[in-house]
Amino acid sequence: MTRNAKGFVLAEMLTALVVMSIISLAVVSLTMALTTAQEYSEDFYHNVQVARNSLRRIERDINKANLITAGDSDTLVYWTDTNGNGDIELRELRMITVDGATGEVMLNYAEFPVFWPPAWVTQWAGALTVPLATALTEAVSWIKNDQWAKQGPLATEVTALQVTVSPASPTADSV
């Protein structure tokens, strides 16, 4: 007597279940790998864009310089003759500093309080001597004076940036 059996044997069901589990794990692993790769790619692209924009801001600001007055590996002081009188004045000095610990590149400059009378502004903004502007410690001290120091970020998330000038400041013609 022959029976027409319809259905699967337990062994066939277990084999199908194991094969489906392996395929499902492969699909999940592939999906996770693709998601991780996409996140990495997006982070990389974001970092490239941040670096590109930061370098543009730094380049745009340095291109305004009439004279690179002082600098070292993480500080650059330069003069922009904004009023066109040819004198180096405190409010025309700019300083870019790199803080490796925080990853920030800052633009420092002097801005006198608006409530100061014009005589005070003239006295403090008066022409600086070239030796004062070209001595790095003196220039940093004057620009970072608490009375008028202002700063703003040029870049964040910086992992490394080194400032070099050629030839040495104050005769530098390239940064």
Side-chain angles (χ1 to χ4, degrees), residues 3-175:
R3 262 181 14 171
N4 190 4
K6 293 183 181 178
F8 294 104
V9 185
L10 180 60
E12 294 173 330
M13 287 297 288
L14 289 175
T15 303
L17 186 62
V18 167
V19 169
M20 286 300 293
S21 296
I22 291 172
I23 292 172
S24 296
L25 283 174
V27 168
V28 168
S29 296
L30 180 63
T31 303
M32 289 176 59
L34 288 173
T35 302
T36 302
Q38 181 182 0
E39 289 172 357
Y40 175 79
S41 175
E42 287 173 359
D43 286 346
F44 179 78
Y45 180 74
H46 170 75
N47 291 338
V48 167
Q49 286 298 101
V50 166
R52 183 177 293 138
N53 291 336
S54 299
L55 285 173
R56 279 190 191 131
R57 276 194 299 269
I58 293 168
E59 178 185 23
R60 190 171 47 240
D61 206 66
I62 290 175
N63 281 338
K64 296 176 192 174
N66 293 74
L67 177 69
I68 305 297
T69 63
D72 63 11
S73 63
D74 59 0
T75 305
L76 180 69
V77 180
Y78 54 97
W79 167 60
T80 57
D81 191 12
T82 55
N83 61 12
N85 67 359
D87 293 331
I88 297 176
E89 298 179 11
L90 179 59
R91 60 184 163 199
E92 296 175 333
L93 286 179
R94 301 284 184 263
M95 179 173 63
I96 294 177
T97 56
V98 180
D99 186 350
T102 63
E104 292 183 324
V105 178
M106 301 297 286
L107 174 64
N108 300 275
Y109 55 96
E111 185 176 288
F112 301 116
V114 293
F115 60 85
W116 273 19
W120 289 10
V121 173
T122 303
Q123 174 190 356
W124 285 103
L128 293 172
T129 62
V130 172
L132 173 67
T134 57
L136 184 61
T137 54
E138 290 291 324
V140 169
S141 173
W142 276 88
I143 295 171
K144 286 195 166 189
N145 187 308
D146 288 337
Q147 291 180 345
W148 48 68
K150 298 288 182 190
Q151 67 177 359
L154 283 175
T156 57
E157 303 176 37
V158 175
T159 56
L161 178 66
Q162 184 171 359
V163 177
T164 57
V165 294
S166 176
S169 53
T171 58
D173 57 10
S174 67
V175 177

